[in-house]
Amino acid sequence: MAIAASSLSAQKLFTLEDLNFGGTNYEQMRPKRLNTTWYGNELTTYDSEHFYGFDKLTGEKSIIDDPRTPRTELEEGTQKLEWNDQSRTWAFLKDNNLYIKCGDREAVQISTDGSREIVYGQSVHRNEFGIHKGTFFSPDGKKLAFYRMDQSMVTDYPQVNTFERSATYEPDKYPMAGMTSHKVTVGIVEVETGKTLYLDLGDTTDRYFTNIAWSPDGTTLYLIEVNRDQTDSSLDAYCAASGKKIATLFTEHNDRYTEPLHPITFLPWDSKRFIYWSQKDGYQHLYLMNTEGRIERQLTSGNWVVRDLAGFCEATHSLIYVSNEIHPLQMNIFSLNIDNGKKTRLDNGKGVHYASLSADGKWVVDTWSEPDVPRVTALTNTLTAKTIELLRSDDPWAGYQQPTFEMGSIKADDGVTDLYWRMVKPADFDPSKKYPTVVYVYGGPHAHNVEASWHWYSRSWETYMAQKGYIVFILDNRGSENRGLEFEQITFRHLGQVEMRDQMSGVEYLKSLPYVDADRIGVHGWSYGGFMTISLMTNYPDTFKVGVAGGPVIDWKWYEVMYGERYMDTPQSNPEGYEQTSLLNKAKDLKGHLLIVTGMNDNTVVPQHCLQFLNRCAEEGTYPLFFAYPGEQHNMMKHKSVHLHEMITRYFEDYLK
Amino acid sequence: MAIAASSLSAQKLFTLEDLNFGGTNYEQMRPKRLNTTWYGNELTTYDSEHFYGFDKLTGEKSIIDDPRTPRTELEEGTQKLEWNDQSRTWAFLKDNNLYIKCGDREAVQISTDGSREIVYGQSVHRNEFGIHKGTFFSPDGKKLAFYRMDQSMVTDYPQVNTFERSATYEPDKYPMAGMTSHKVTVGIVEVETGKTLYLDLGDTTDRYFTNIAWSPDGTTLYLIEVNRDQTDSSLDAYCAASGKKIATLFTEHNDRYTEPLHPITFLPWDSKRFIYWSQKDGYQHLYLMNTEGRIERQLTSGNWVVRDLAGFCEATHSLIYVSNEIHPLQMNIFSLNIDNGKKTRLDNGKGVHYASLSADGKWVVDTWSEPDVPRVTALTNTLTAKTIELLRSDDPWAGYQQPTFEMGSIKADDGVTDLYWRMVKPADFDPSKKYPTVVYVYGGPHAHNVEASWHWYSRSWETYMAQKGYIVFILDNRGSENRGLEFEQITFRHLGQVEMRDQMSGVEYLKSLPYVDADRIGVHGWSYGGFMTISLMTNYPDTFKVGVAGGPVIDWKWYEVMYGERYMDTPQSNPEGYEQTSLLNKAKDLKGHLLIVTGMNDNTVVPQHCLQFLNRCAEEGTYPLFFAYPGEQHNMMKHKSVHLHEMITRYFEDYLK
């Protein structure tokens, strides 16, 4: 039923200052959030004046002393890496070299050859394989493992800083698919003495050392090694005292690729057993493994995936995890008794939940939303599943003219696979009218766009477009995350191709709807979604009249080694796949209006992609337009994002309406 | 009177492949050209099989032997600089060092420290001051003067080559206004011995050495030195044997700037007298000066300018020159007897003529066009002014639907100054209709857009736009060339400001025409014209609805020292002028649709201009679009130019129609 225009007109209209991050009114328009932190078993929050502790039975909060352990001061000009409470030690960088400083003692310099080319203590392998830092204290804080990356052999990508008086050259090490990559090793420092050794790894060429973990007693360092082809992974144990390899505990092989993303996690009550993550049965699941490398039990199983291991409750020998076992679009929190296998759901069984566990695992902060629930923060007893709400946000959009958000699914062209979509419709939607429709797409691995969170996970720009009179449609194609290995890996060696078929299934569905104007279909996406946008514009030039592609990959040979070769192998070993997917070959087929946008200092999808596509279009006689944000990298930050989305909107307004 | 639609429809339509240089049919659509070369007093031409000589009395041609002097062979990997017929000597570069090779002798290496930073034998001072080469043989070929430029102290502009496997850094020395500039010296080699000396110039910081010329006997080298502020120029004589300065012959001062553009030229019959060019009376004229530095006579004078000194006829003691004394938009050829001052016009007194003189000066090849004459090549006796036509081109556009080309003038806002304009109208022009109108603009010094040549000098794109239904209007504002010093220098220290006033006078005229749609006025220009386009779009945002700016200067602080400081002084000495003209400050005022285009490797107007303007627009919430041609420099070459003009056309079609 259409809402009467008179009641709509009483409602406020959104601007991008309201909707878009970086917008001047954005923070006021978000669901209210309760920022909580566990200190041990104490749940705390703070405001500008005080810290507060929560009574876990009533949810009431009261002023407490600052719960934070005082930290050692560091001199200026240092870059903090990690603090360890046990040994009261900082790991930090100064002039690219690694230092530790234990309590009030003098700082100890661990490395001397740190530089732009020899990198210490930082994330390596371009943050792939779940790596997001480069220092790893042992549980007792007495040892520090750290990465050392030699990238002197890696080609520099020439970035240019145009903000100086005269533009300056800022080289950035960027290993491209099929080209020489960096070499990584792992060192271990004894905090007490500063004594440092390196794991005895031999020649580290083309080897990835991922998912570092310590044994509970700090004598053994575990990591998962992956070969450059990424077909094999190996859980290895190294002696922290000698650096020698003790054993290979477990190996996995996959003809396409293995991709370890989670370090092993020891049971708090058993130093011989740990949790090992694996997709070897086709879905991301948890396994109970012992230090002999034997899998004692598969703890979770089914056609769904574990999304998070929140931790353990030692008292009940339970682990707390988050999965999508209730529905592919949901995340729900479960307690699993490791001794008897008994599983208990700890949340309301709806929506998308995030879990934060107390030290003893008896309590979990559950922060969630549902399609019509903006955000709730609750505290749940993991033994009883009893919950008290700490904060329930009102609808921050109340009083505004809100679009409608719908979710549904279609079958992929295999007739079997469910593909979930979201649709955003104008507030005054009239099914007898025909609407211009924009397909928003990402489409790449390790991401999804549709989930059972607030507004079905809608991005703010979709609301803006709906308000301008567009339908916006988003479909998670095969290749996206949380649906299992086959769903993801079907794109192997020909990225974009199956994804396009699924997006076109979505378009067929759109065309079946009487209120979608099939002559006014556009497409927009960023990064992998930029690649998808140009792929769709050029492979289906009669379908898509207008496209906006941001930070697009144009040819995978210009993307980095770790991610690029996982999905595409190398240009040398998969020339036909690179040829098939290269948008340079498709530049000639562009018909519609295409706007390409990039951060001019993008160090993820380097400007070479965009620029060489423009060149090819100029050679082939096709006519995209372009915009570049100098100084910006792969994603537009702060208010630049508002500008970006206004520009994208204007482009559709100019050409699709 | 409107042409009947039926007759129009029988005519062919142009494509940019016909009209635009680089187009597949472009060469067929140009007026026929006769390529002639004088060898001494023999007028020759050639085709793929033969050389031909012309009978100068009948114009008939017959096969002749190859008239060229055989030249010494050079080994591969060398860059030829200049050949001298007298001494049969090559000046050439190898690995950045200067060599000479005389006849069959071994090549002699003149310099050893040549590099990207120490440049030998090439044009210096960024081709300003009329400099276009770096080697200068003495008349007898026995000595070679050459430039040496040390640019090690000049900041590198970081150009990026995105055509390599992984993009590469290609630094380019680019001295920006107000920043440290290069240092130039002049060397002299004795060809016989290879002995080299440098002029005794002292500290060459911030000094320009321009317009090198030899005395007829090769003992004295003349040059015109200009200070960095360009307020003073000095004609100096140096001893070629010692390198010592002999004398300063003549100096000029101008509070704004002096700009010597022509070396002195000795009379063939008098080694003590030469022609000196000067704008000191406000117009570019010729003076008879002697080697004492005394001006004996002003040879030409009036409110017009000499455009070319074609040479001399020794037999009659005449010089042959080209000027616009008949009409500011014309170039006509005159003979001037130096002994008695008698002047004779050698051409038809119409149109735009180019002169190429025989060695004895008795004959001139006159190549000209008029607004309705595509091109004629004729041979004229300079003694009798008798002419025979060698080739008269048919209209290469016959059979096509041609627009109409008109010329006229308006007064500038001083009420006095004539500003000439050209207008191109659709073939089916109907004065009762209202047409979208595009102002094409350049506007900078050393250029003009309107002259009495074919189609009033119309650019091909104007015809394309007229065919699409636009009126195109071009006006040469103050600051442009050939109209005298005051007309040019009025823009000093505030480039773009007077130019905009004149362009707006043109727009007022357009608005007075009933067939110009004042709500659909656009603007397009390249380089200085790009600067003008954005200046106009942002200073008059309600006038110009659509603009396309190519290779635009955004802020003169990013332009090079020689040109930039001549017209703007330095950012340090003219901060208010730089502020006033900087388009960064105007980014916020953009309202209409603006497309900015650049060669991504532009080393004249470096990409910093465009990119920082885009950044400022992103900060200010305005929305230009962009296109970049990777690998291209300041002007799009070959077929890229066709692509460019099609893109520009589409942008106007999308937004102005």
Side-chain angles (χ1 to χ4, degrees):
Chain A
M1 193 179 75
I3 301 166
S6 60
S7 76
L8 277 179
S9 67
Q11 297 172 339
K12 279 194 278 189
L13 294 178
F14 292 102
T15 71
L16 282 178
E17 301 293 353
D18 301 316
L19 292 170
N20 209 98
F21 74 87
T24 51
N25 197 41
Y26 177 63
E27 289 304 323
Q28 284 67 51
M29 299 297 283
R30 305 179 72 184
K32 279 204 184 61
R33 169 185 294 277
L34 182 65
N35 289 310
T36 60
T37 309
W38 288 107
Y39 287 94
N41 295 314
E42 178 153 37
L43 182 64
T44 70
T45 188
Y46 63 92
D47 60 22
S48 58
E49 291 179 20
H50 300 292
F51 283 88
Y52 303 88
F54 287 91
D55 180 317
K56 293 201 280 284
L57 297 179
T58 65
E60 281 174 15
K61 65 180 185 181
S62 52
I63 294 173
I64 58 171
D65 291 337
D66 186 339
R68 297 171 298 182
T69 314
R71 297 183 174 188
T72 303
E73 294 276 312
L74 293 182
E75 62 180 301
E76 279 194 29
T78 60
Q79 179 189 343
K80 292 172 181 173
L81 293 172
E82 192 171 3
W83 165 258
N84 181 270
D85 254 2
Q86 274 60 46
S87 59
R88 303 198 61 245
T89 302
W90 271 116
F92 68 92
L93 290 179
K94 190 178 161 188
D95 297 335
N96 298 304
N97 278 311
L98 180 66
Y99 290 74
I100 55 170
K101 180 169 167 56
C102 186
D104 297 328
R105 295 194 217 163
E106 286 286 298
V108 179
Q109 182 167 353
I110 305 304
S111 72
T112 56
D113 59 348
S115 69
R116 190 175 78 81
E117 305 205 312
I118 310 290
V119 177
Y120 284 94
Q122 306 206 47
S123 178
V124 298
H125 301 323
R126 298 195 74 88
N127 300 316
E128 293 296 317
F129 314 107
I131 304 170
H132 60 277
K133 62 171 190 165
T135 53
F136 308 87
F137 279 103
S138 62
D140 59 10
K142 291 183 177 170
K143 296 202 184 74
L144 174 73
F146 62 89
Y147 278 126
R148 177 190 192 270
M149 175 165 65
D150 179 357
Q151 54 183 358
S152 59
M153 67 294 284
V154 173
T155 305
D156 275 320
Y157 189 89
Q159 296 282 356
V160 175
N161 177 353
T162 50
F163 288 81
E164 299 294 325
R165 171 67 180 86
S166 179
T168 53
Y169 171 53
E170 298 190 347
D172 182 46
K173 293 289 177 187
Y174 191 94
M176 288 182 179
M179 295 180 69
T180 304
S181 192
H182 48 240
K183 294 187 191 184
V184 165
T185 56
V186 178
I188 297 177
V189 189
E190 202 174 72
V191 169
E192 180 68 22
T193 62
K195 204 187 117 195
T196 301
L197 63 76
Y198 284 88
L199 299 191
D200 190 2
L201 296 170
D203 182 358
T204 58
T205 304
D206 290 340
R207 296 166 67 191
Y208 303 126
F209 301 104
T210 81
N211 293 291
I212 287 175
W214 282 98
S215 64
D217 64 3
T219 61
T220 307
L221 192 75
Y222 296 89
L223 56 78
I224 306 179
E225 180 174 341
V226 181
N227 61 332
R228 176 146 176 180
D229 198 24
Q230 303 191 39
T231 50
D232 293 273
S233 69
S234 167
L235 173 61
D236 297 325
Y238 288 86
C239 172
S242 71
K244 300 284 184 200
K245 186 163 166 180
I246 300 167
T248 290
L249 277 66
F250 196 77
T251 62
E252 292 197 39
H253 172 83
N254 184 299
D255 284 345
R256 290 161 165 171
Y257 55 83
T258 60
E259 190 187 9
L261 289 162
H262 304 274
I264 62 169
T265 318
F266 278 84
L267 305 184
W269 59 88
D270 185 344
S271 64
K272 297 290 180 200
R273 289 184 171 76
F274 55 83
I275 305 298
Y276 176 77
W277 295 64
S278 175
Q279 302 193 71
K280 68 195 184 70
D281 80 345
Y283 293 86
Q284 188 71 273
H285 280 302
L286 305 179
Y287 297 80
L288 182 65
M289 191 180 279
N290 63 30
T291 50
E292 307 297 309
R294 191 165 57 79
I295 290 177
E296 300 189 340
R297 190 139 33 89
Q298 179 165 357
L299 294 173
T300 60
S301 64
N303 295 346
W304 48 269
V305 300
V306 176
R307 299 283 306 277
D308 185 29
L309 171 55
F312 302 90
C313 177
E314 182 167 1
T316 59
H317 282 201
S318 298
L319 64 76
I320 316 298
Y321 72 91
V322 179
S323 78
N324 69 351
E325 60 197 87
I326 293 178
H327 187 280
L329 303 189
Q330 293 184 201
M331 284 172 61
N332 298 96
I333 308 173
F334 297 88
S335 165
L336 176 69
N337 187 298
I338 290 182
D339 295 344
N340 63 22
K342 189 180 167 228
K343 182 158 70 181
T344 308
R345 173 165 54 77
L346 296 179
D347 64 18
N348 68 354
K350 298 186 285 187
V352 171
H353 293 252
Y354 291 87
S356 172
L357 213 59
S358 64
D360 62 9
K362 290 181 179 170
W363 299 91
V364 63
V365 172
D366 173 8
T367 302
W368 83 90
S369 74
E370 299 168 31
D372 56 355
V373 174
R375 183 181 285 133
V376 183
T377 305
L379 181 62
T380 300
N381 185 305
T382 64
L383 281 60
T384 64
K386 273 198 187 158
T387 286
I388 48 172
E389 283 188 10
L390 300 179
L391 183 75
R392 178 175 285 263
S393 175
D394 291 335
D395 181 356
W397 290 8
Y400 282 79
Q401 197 180 103
Q402 300 189 26
T404 57
F405 303 92
E406 297 170 12
M407 184 277 287
S409 70
I410 58 171
K411 292 290 181 196
D413 61 6
D414 62 3
V416 177
T417 308
D418 288 318
L419 303 173
Y420 294 95
W421 54 257
R422 172 176 69 248
M423 186 180 285
V424 186
K425 291 175 175 169
D428 61 352
F429 176 72
D430 177 349
S432 70
K433 289 186 177 168
K434 282 201 173 286
Y435 288 88
T437 300
V438 174
V439 174
Y440 175 79
V441 60
Y442 179 77
H446 290 297
H448 66 282
N449 268 306
V450 187
E451 65 173 34
S453 56
W454 196 43
H455 294 163
W456 299 104
Y457 206 28
S458 175
R459 300 166 61 254
S460 59
W461 178 73
E462 298 162 16
T463 288
Y464 193 57
M465 289 295 281
Q467 183 174 283
K468 298 263 182 199
Y470 298 83
I471 288 174
V472 186
F473 182 79
I474 300 93
L475 178 142
D476 279 337
N477 52 246
R478 281 173 289 178
S480 59
E481 69 179 357
N482 301 335
R483 303 293 302 282
L485 207 54
E486 183 56 29
F487 188 95
E488 177 186 301
Q489 288 192 333
I490 195 168
T491 68
F492 180 63
R493 282 170 67 96
H494 49 248
L495 287 177
Q497 309 310 301
V498 175
E499 296 93 314
M500 277 196 282
R501 275 161 44 203
D502 287 357
Q503 291 296 330
M504 291 310 290
S505 296
V507 169
E508 288 313 306
Y509 170 68
L510 285 175
K511 288 181 174 174
S512 76
L513 301 174
Y515 47 84
V516 167
D517 186 344
D519 292 328
R520 288 187 295 167
I521 294 180
V523 56
H524 165 50
W526 197 270
S527 188
Y528 201 103
F531 166 65
M532 286 295 294
T533 294
I534 302 179
S535 294
L536 288 165
M537 288 286 293
T538 51
N539 281 275
Y540 302 95
D542 295 323
T543 298
F544 298 97
K545 299 298 186 297
V546 186
V548 181
V553 171
I554 293 298
D555 191 308
W556 290 100
K557 72 171 177 275
W558 292 318
Y559 202 68
E560 50 93 343
V561 164
M562 288 98 227
Y563 180 108
E565 295 179 5
R566 180 186 312 130
Y567 303 113
M568 287 294 291
D569 287 344
T570 64
Q572 299 89 324
S573 64
N574 182 21
E576 64 286 1
Y578 278 82
E579 271 303 295
Q580 182 187 18
T581 59
S582 173
L583 296 177
L584 296 178
N585 299 331
K586 300 292 179 182
K588 67 183 188 318
D589 299 324
L590 178 63
K591 274 177 66 178
H593 290 278
L594 173 63
L595 173 63
I596 300 174
V597 186
T598 192
M600 201 61 213
N601 294 91
D602 194 333
N603 52 12
T604 303
V605 180
V606 293
Q608 190 167 14
H609 289 269
C610 281
L611 293 174
Q612 290 308 100
F613 185 76
L614 296 185
N615 176 68
R616 191 61 69 92
C617 289
E619 288 174 354
E620 298 284 2
T622 55
Y623 298 92
L625 290 179
F626 186 43
F627 194 85
Y629 289 93
E632 297 295 320
Q633 301 185 342
H634 191 50
N635 293 292
M636 298 311 105
M637 306 308 282
K638 300 182 184 169
H639 206 269
K640 296 277 172 68
S641 177
V642 177
H643 181 273
L644 167 66
H645 286 93
E646 180 64 32
M647 178 172 66
I648 296 167
T649 305
R650 285 171 183 233
Y651 197 76
F652 283 109
E653 289 278 278
D654 284 346
Y655 289 119
L656 196 64
K657 224 168 182 182
Chain B
M1 192 179 75
I3 301 164
S6 59
S7 75
L8 277 179
S9 67
Q11 297 173 341
K12 280 193 279 190
L13 294 178
F14 293 102
T15 71
L16 282 178
E17 301 293 354
D18 300 317
L19 292 171
N20 208 98
F21 73 86
T24 51
N25 196 40
Y26 177 63
E27 290 303 325
Q28 283 67 49
M29 300 297 282
R30 304 179 75 185
K32 278 202 185 62
R33 169 185 294 278
L34 182 65
N35 289 308
T36 59
T37 308
W38 288 106
Y39 287 94
N41 296 315
E42 178 152 36
L43 182 63
T44 70
T45 187
Y46 62 92
D47 59 23
S48 58
E49 291 179 21
H50 299 292
F51 282 88
Y52 303 88
F54 287 90
D55 180 315
K56 292 200 281 284
L57 297 178
T58 65
E60 281 174 16
K61 64 181 186 180
S62 53
I63 294 175
I64 58 171
D65 291 338
D66 186 340
R68 296 171 298 182
T69 314
R71 296 182 176 191
T72 302
E73 293 277 314
L74 293 182
E75 62 181 300
E76 278 193 33
T78 59
Q79 179 190 342
K80 291 171 181 170
L81 294 172
E82 192 171 0
W83 166 258
N84 181 271
D85 253 2
Q86 272 62 44
S87 58
R88 299 197 64 245
T89 301
W90 271 114
F92 67 93
L93 290 180
K94 190 178 164 190
D95 298 334
N96 298 304
N97 278 311
L98 180 67
Y99 291 75
I100 56 170
K101 181 169 166 57
C102 186
D104 297 329
R105 295 193 214 163
E106 285 286 297
V108 178
Q109 181 167 355
I110 305 304
S111 72
T112 55
D113 59 348
S115 69
R116 189 175 77 81
E117 305 205 312
I118 311 290
V119 178
Y120 284 95
Q122 306 206 45
S123 178
V124 298
H125 301 322
R126 298 195 73 87
N127 299 320
E128 292 296 318
F129 313 107
I131 303 171
H132 60 276
K133 63 171 190 165
T135 52
F136 309 86
F137 278 103
S138 62
D140 59 10
K142 292 185 174 169
K143 295 203 183 73
L144 173 73
F146 62 90
Y147 277 126
R148 176 190 193 270
M149 174 165 65
D150 179 356
Q151 53 183 359
S152 60
M153 66 295 284
V154 174
T155 305
D156 275 320
Y157 190 91
Q159 297 283 356
V160 175
N161 177 352
T162 50
F163 288 80
E164 298 295 325
R165 171 66 178 90
S166 179
T168 53
Y169 171 54
E170 298 190 346
D172 182 47
K173 293 289 177 187
Y174 191 93
M176 288 183 179
M179 294 179 69
T180 304
S181 193
H182 48 240
K183 294 188 194 183
V184 165
T185 56
V186 178
I188 297 176
V189 189
E190 202 174 74
V191 169
E192 179 69 22
T193 63
K195 203 184 118 198
T196 301
L197 62 79
Y198 284 88
L199 299 191
D200 189 1
L201 296 170
D203 181 358
T204 58
T205 304
D206 292 338
R207 297 165 66 190
Y208 302 126
F209 301 104
T210 80
N211 292 291
I212 287 175
W214 282 99
S215 64
D217 64 3
T219 61
T220 307
L221 193 73
Y222 296 89
L223 56 78
I224 306 179
E225 179 175 343
V226 180
N227 61 331
R228 177 144 176 181
D229 198 24
Q230 304 191 37
T231 49
D232 293 273
S233 68
S234 167
L235 173 61
D236 297 325
Y238 288 87
C239 171
S242 70
K244 301 283 183 200
K245 187 165 168 177
I246 300 167
T248 290
L249 277 66
F250 197 76
T251 62
E252 291 197 39
H253 172 84
N254 185 299
D255 284 343
R256 290 161 165 171
Y257 54 84
T258 60
E259 190 186 9
L261 289 162
H262 303 273
I264 63 169
T265 318
F266 278 84
L267 305 184
W269 58 90
D270 184 345
S271 63
K272 297 289 178 200
R273 289 183 173 75
F274 54 85
I275 304 298
Y276 176 76
W277 294 65
S278 175
Q279 301 191 71
K280 68 193 182 70
D281 79 345
Y283 292 86
Q284 188 70 274
H285 281 301
L286 305 180
Y287 296 80
L288 182 64
M289 192 181 278
N290 62 31
T291 50
E292 308 295 310
R294 192 165 56 81
I295 290 178
E296 300 189 341
R297 190 140 32 90
Q298 179 165 355
L299 294 174
T300 61
S301 64
N303 295 345
W304 48 268
V305 299
V306 176
R307 299 283 305 277
D308 185 30
L309 171 55
F312 302 89
C313 177
E314 183 167 359
T316 59
H317 283 201
S318 299
L319 65 75
I320 317 297
Y321 72 92
V322 180
S323 77
N324 69 350
E325 63 197 86
I326 294 179
H327 187 280
L329 303 190
Q330 292 186 199
M331 284 171 62
N332 298 97
I333 308 173
F334 298 87
S335 165
L336 176 69
N337 187 297
I338 292 183
D339 295 342
N340 63 22
K342 188 180 168 231
K343 181 157 73 180
T344 310
R345 172 164 55 76
L346 296 180
D347 64 19
N348 67 355
K350 298 186 284 185
V352 171
H353 293 253
Y354 292 87
S356 172
L357 212 61
S358 62
D360 62 9
K362 291 182 179 168
W363 299 90
V364 63
V365 173
D366 172 8
T367 303
W368 84 90
S369 74
E370 300 169 30
D372 56 355
V373 175
R375 183 181 285 130
V376 183
T377 305
L379 182 62
T380 300
N381 185 305
T382 65
L383 281 61
T384 65
K386 274 199 187 158
T387 285
I388 47 172
E389 284 189 11
L390 301 179
L391 183 75
R392 176 175 286 262
S393 175
D394 291 334
D395 180 357
W397 290 8
Y400 282 78
Q401 198 181 102
Q402 300 189 27
T404 57
F405 303 90
E406 298 170 11
M407 184 278 287
S409 69
I410 59 171
K411 291 290 181 195
D413 61 6
D414 62 4
V416 178
T417 309
D418 288 318
L419 303 173
Y420 293 95
W421 53 257
R422 171 174 72 247
M423 187 180 285
V424 185
K425 289 176 175 169
D428 61 353
F429 176 72
D430 176 350
S432 70
K433 290 187 178 167
K434 282 202 173 287
Y435 289 86
T437 301
V438 174
V439 173
Y440 175 79
V441 60
Y442 178 77
H446 288 298
H448 66 281
N449 267 306
V450 187
E451 65 172 35
S453 57
W454 196 44
H455 295 161
W456 297 104
Y457 206 29
S458 176
R459 300 166 61 254
S460 58
W461 178 73
E462 298 163 17
T463 288
Y464 194 56
M465 289 296 280
Q467 185 173 283
K468 298 264 181 196
Y470 297 83
I471 288 174
V472 186
F473 182 79
I474 300 92
L475 177 142
D476 280 336
N477 51 246
R478 280 172 290 179
S480 58
E481 70 180 357
N482 299 337
R483 302 291 303 282
L485 207 54
E486 183 56 28
F487 187 95
E488 176 186 302
Q489 289 193 332
I490 195 169
T491 69
F492 181 62
R493 283 170 68 97
H494 49 248
L495 287 177
Q497 309 309 302
V498 174
E499 297 91 315
M500 277 195 282
R501 275 161 45 203
D502 286 356
Q503 291 297 328
M504 291 310 291
S505 295
V507 168
E508 288 313 305
Y509 170 68
L510 285 175
K511 288 181 174 175
S512 76
L513 301 173
Y515 46 84
V516 167
D517 186 345
D519 292 327
R520 289 187 294 166
I521 294 180
V523 56
H524 166 50
W526 197 270
S527 189
Y528 200 103
F531 166 66
M532 286 296 294
T533 294
I534 303 180
S535 294
L536 287 165
M537 287 287 291
T538 52
N539 281 276
Y540 302 94
D542 296 322
T543 299
F544 298 96
K545 300 299 186 295
V546 186
V548 180
V553 171
I554 294 299
D555 191 309
W556 290 99
K557 71 171 178 276
W558 292 318
Y559 202 69
E560 49 92 342
V561 163
M562 289 96 223
Y563 180 108
E565 295 179 5
R566 179 184 312 130
Y567 303 114
M568 286 293 291
D569 286 344
T570 64
Q572 299 90 322
S573 65
N574 182 22
E576 65 285 0
Y578 279 82
E579 271 304 294
Q580 182 188 16
T581 58
S582 174
L583 297 176
L584 296 178
N585 299 331
K586 300 293 181 183
K588 66 182 188 320
D589 299 324
L590 179 63
K591 274 177 67 179
H593 290 279
L594 173 63
L595 173 63
I596 300 174
V597 187
T598 192
M600 201 60 212
N601 294 91
D602 193 331
N603 52 10
T604 303
V605 180
V606 293
Q608 189 166 16
H609 289 270
C610 281
L611 293 174
Q612 290 307 99
F613 185 76
L614 296 185
N615 175 68
R616 190 60 70 91
C617 289
E619 288 174 352
E620 299 283 2
T622 55
Y623 298 91
L625 290 179
F626 186 44
F627 194 86
Y629 289 91
E632 297 294 320
Q633 300 186 341
H634 191 49
N635 292 293
M636 299 312 103
M637 306 308 282
K638 299 181 182 170
H639 206 270
K640 295 277 172 67
S641 176
V642 177
H643 180 274
L644 167 66
H645 286 93
E646 180 63 31
M647 178 171 66
I648 296 168
T649 304
R650 286 172 182 232
Y651 196 77
F652 284 109
E653 289 279 278
D654 285 346
Y655 290 117
L656 195 64
K657 228 172 179 177

